[in-house]
Amino acid sequence: MAENRWNDDEAVRHAGDLGLRVYSSRLLGQDSALVLHGGGNTSVKIRETNRVGEEEEILYVKGSGWDLATIEAAGFTPIRMAHLLKLAKLDRLSDLEMVNELKTQQTLASAPTGSVEAILHAVLPFKFVDHTHADVIVTLTNTDGGLERIRAIYGDAVVIIPYVMPGFDLARRVAERFAAEAGAQTIGMVLMNHGIFSFGDTAKASYERMIDLVNRAEGYLKAQGAWDLPEPGTRPAKEASRLELAGLRQAVSQATGSPMLLRAWQGPADLAFAARDDLDRISQQGPATPDHVIRTKPLPQIGRDVAAYAAAYRAYFETHAPQARTPVRMLDPAPRVILDPELGLLTAGKTAKDCAIGADIYRHTMEIIQRAERLGGWRALPEKDLFDMEYWELEQAKLRKGGKSPLFQGEVALVTGAASGIGLACVESLLARGAAVIGLDLNPAIEGLFHRADFLGIPGDITDRDALRAALEQGVRRFGGLDMLILNAGMFPGGKRIAELDDGLWRQVMAVNLDANLALLRESHPLLRLAPNKGRVLVIGSKNVPAPGPGAAAYSASKAALNQLMRVAALEWGADGIRINSLHPDAVFDTGIWTEEVLQARAAHYGLTVEQYKTKNILKTEVRSRDVAELAAEMCGPLFAKTTAAQVPVDGGNDRVI
Ligand code: ZN
């Protein structure tokens, strides 16, 4: 049951009508069965005196870009009611014209643009209006005989509105029907295939009516034996699928025209739903509510091999999106949800957060579909309405306003030795440019290094082949593929002359600095070949490659061999479009091994101050981890699009290298 979260002691802390509007909007937003990811909207009508002393009624309606769960007073847009009510009487108003009216009739210039449902809120003659796309309501209104069921549940307590796409036409339809049908008994309104409204003279009354209406619907589902979901069972997910996933991601990226992330969700309920016999029928209808339309397009089972996936995906894209090839960049229509009986639920998005939101919305949709199937059969919106929604001009305008996307949006980088020093700085530089990053490190702290959707920290030893393969598998399941590889992990044993250098230490240095990188290159190559913007590899080398030092035989030899490996890879992989370059840093002191004491000792050894020691190069400048990382990231970008096998020093200038 939807929980009534209203608390009088809490409520009194929110002053005035707008304060209470904020309070109860958050209560709605915090219940995911009512409101999901920015869905739903609320309003309050308040009388105010304007700058020239006139009293006017103002609609405070949720502004675009705000989420009900976290909304503040500043998230409500004040718009003149008198004008909104006149607009509602027009015969027609295009959606762009409507947005212009909303924008020019707001009384606070800095407020966000009001919700596209603002006129709809204005025409409902109540002080407080609450609107959600509650799961139980979209379940009922997308079921066979939905209208009759809604009538049976609510009688004349709600006005029922057949489906109309959100925008001006819906507001006008509501104004007409509400005036004709509402009475003293009316406490809400149901929009078929869309959601529900409640209203009242106080914030509390409107909120509690929403809870009551939603709970009556849930009670109906339970009474009809349609509430309990099928047992998901315990089917295991398919193993070793990283190439299939990367191939599918390449097809998704090609269809949308830019790199996309792809995440595999393989919980028992995901796998069970994706394996349903009737998947083609139930998954190929419209979404539960227009609010979700952009992200929920399931692709049915299409066989196991990558080529078949790519072909089916492209076919789907072609038939659903002929407009996408016009010069104006249209709202990207490619499916965001892919269902595969063995791989489970897959979500595509430009960011890791979008993939997570897509899964969240589709998991709700799976429950809605399954309950509707138990009730009387899932009947979502016809394709025509869907298409209108996707291409309606507001969405188009939003997209055109989008601006420049980050350099590596939709791309995936893997960094070794990512928990500290240059590796950590590389992670930060790549994240800052919009990449999703997989960080590998021996240090278990890597797992909790960043708490963000676009970072995956995996602890493990890169010299362990099985661990390496498992890490790639895990990374690809999370983000869909691999575009960039930063070979950074390495070890620098203390100074030891050749006369004292034993085989064990030599082998250990070679295993970490050379052999592990060979294995990682070999395992990554098939994934890099599938990178939508072509694969890139960046090797963190060393000044010791061109200018070795005494006492560092194993280190210098391993880095020189790695450098030669880089050059051969450039020759072998050029035909796949994969670029591989290396950086040769020197004297980077802001890393874990260089404590203040060690620095002081080394400086004293040369008769220098720490400052002089740090800037002991031609340019007299200190080279920091961040300097190396920024260059590494840029070398993976378009600036170096035509460069491979380059070796770039990042050492402040060294007379032995020059
Ligand atoms: Zn809505």
Side-chain angles (χ1 to χ4, degrees), residues 39-41 117 120 131-133 166 170 191 194-197 289-291:
N41 42 60
E117 286 169 346
L120 208 167
H131 169 45
T132 71
H133 308 120
L170 174 62
L191 308 185
H194 179 153
I196 185 165
F197 282 76
T289 163
D291 209 46

Side-chain angles (χ1 to χ4, degrees), residues 339-393:
L339 295 162
D340 180 279
E342 289 177 51
L343 298 174
L345 167 65
L346 308 167
T347 55
K350 287 192 195 303
T351 66
K353 207 174 154 197
D354 285 349
C355 292
I357 290 173
D360 210 2
I361 288 174
Y362 204 73
R363 281 175 166 165
H364 276 260
T365 306
M366 293 191 303
E367 293 190 0
I368 290 164
I369 290 175
Q370 290 178 106
R371 290 194 171 119
E373 278 293 301
R374 291 213 157 174
L375 192 58
W378 170 245
R379 298 282 177 275
L381 287 170
E383 184 78 14
K384 167 75 177 67
D385 292 313
L386 252 184
F387 193 83
D388 285 350
M389 182 66 199
E390 269 181 301
Y391 289 95
W392 72 323
E393 42 187 328

Side-chain angles (χ1 to χ4, degrees), residues 132-191:
T132 71
H133 308 120
D135 285 358
V136 288
I137 300 298
V138 295
T139 302
L140 281 159
T141 61
N142 284 295
T143 297
D144 228 14
L147 199 98
E148 293 70 34
R149 294 174 196 278
I150 292 291
R151 217 165 253 144
I153 296 166
Y154 298 121
D156 58 2
V158 304
V159 170
I160 305 172
I161 311 287
Y163 181 76
V164 178
M165 193 177 76
F168 177 72
D169 292 343
L170 174 62
R172 220 181 55 142
R173 176 74 64 90
V174 165
E176 287 162 9
R177 278 191 83 126
F178 201 84
E181 294 180 23
Q185 74 292 344
T186 310
I187 60 166
M189 178 170 74
V190 171
L191 308 185

Side-chain angles (χ1 to χ4, degrees), residues 403-616:
K404 211 160 167 263
S405 50
L407 190 64
F408 295 143
Q409 181 171 276
E411 295 200 284
V412 186
L414 187 151
V415 180
T416 63
S420 61
I422 292 171
L424 173 58
C426 284
V427 172
E428 289 168 341
S429 292
L430 291 160
L431 287 173
R433 285 166 177 76
V437 181
I438 304 159
L440 303 189
D441 206 290
L442 263 181
N443 184 350
I446 188 75
E447 260 180 308
L449 199 56
F450 295 97
H451 294 282
R452 43 192 290 174
D454 52 4
F455 177 78
L456 173 65
I458 305 175
D461 182 353
I462 57 164
T463 64
D464 175 345
R465 302 294 179 269
D466 290 337
L468 211 53
R469 277 190 282 268
L472 284 174
E473 193 72 30
Q474 197 186 338
V476 172
R477 273 166 204 267
R478 176 64 64 87
F479 299 128
L482 185 63
D483 305 272
M484 292 168 274
L485 181 59
I486 312 283
L487 301 180
N488 166 69
M491 62 180 288
F492 184 86
K496 212 160 217 191
R497 300 256 163 183
I498 291 169
E500 290 95 45
L501 181 58
D502 61 274
D503 290 349
L505 182 63
W506 172 267
R507 289 263 158 256
Q508 195 193 347
V509 174
M510 287 295 166
V512 175
N513 292 2
L514 182 62
D515 301 357
N517 285 320
L518 169 69
L520 189 50
L521 285 170
R522 186 180 60 219
E523 297 293 329
S524 301
H525 179 244
L527 294 171
L528 292 168
R529 283 181 66 186
L530 294 168
N533 279 354
K534 310 290 184 192
R536 287 140 280 164
V537 182
L538 198 284
V539 176
I540 304 294
S542 167
K543 180 224 63 174
N544 279 36
V545 174
Y555 180 78
S556 300
S558 69
K559 286 289 188 182
L562 177 61
N563 196 62
Q564 203 70 346
L565 185 62
M566 177 278 287
R567 298 172 71 196
V568 175
L571 290 169
E572 291 184 0
W573 297 354
D576 296 322
I578 301 170
R579 302 189 280 109
I580 176 163
N581 294 295
S582 68
L583 274 180
H584 294 320
D586 185 32
V588 178
F589 296 117
D590 60 340
T591 63
I593 32 173
W594 291 93
T595 60
E596 203 50 42
E597 294 88 80
V598 176
L599 264 175
Q600 264 161 14
R602 295 304 300 163
H605 177 83
Y606 288 98
L608 300 171
T609 65
V610 168
E611 199 47 41
Q612 286 168 332
Y613 181 67
K614 279 181 173 176
T615 57
K616 197 164 61 73

Side-chain angles (χ1 to χ4, degrees), residues 61-64 77 79 102-103 106 112-118:
V61 65
K62 192 192 96 160
S64 61
T77 308
I79 311 177
L102 298 184
K103 199 72 204 165
Q106 67 187 47
T113 303
S115 160
V116 296
E117 286 169 346

